Amino acid sequence: MRVLSVLEGAEVVIADLEVNLGDQTHSSPTLCVRYEGNIIPLSTPDARPILMKSENAIKIT
């Protein structure tokens, strides 16, 4: 494994995310990255890891 580059301006944060599961709404603290004005989750609400992809970005309102 090797480091290809380091993202400048990326910040690791824990965000309280809200998700809709059917007719129920749940929220939980989630490990995320704040990058280019977006929040990108690094794990699912049940703590399974996911890849940091811009397709998963949540715009900050």
Side-chain angles (χ1 to χ4, degrees):
M1 187 180 305
R2 65 187 176 122
V3 176
L4 296 176
S5 65
V6 176
L7 299 175
E8 297 294 326
E11 176 185 8
V12 176
V13 297
I14 297 176
D16 189 17
L17 297 183
E18 181 178 83
V19 295
N20 294 321
L21 299 172
D23 59 346
Q24 298 179 351
T25 301
H26 297 272
S27 66
S28 66
T30 306
L31 183 64
C32 301
V33 169
R34 184 181 325 189
Y35 184 65
E36 296 182 346
N38 297 316
I39 296 290
I40 304 172
L42 299 178
S43 62
T44 62
D46 60 353
R48 291 181 290 160
I50 57 177
L51 293 176
M52 181 180 155
K53 298 170 105 181
S54 59
E55 295 88 30
N56 297 333
I58 302 168
K59 301 241 184 259
I60 299 174
T61 56

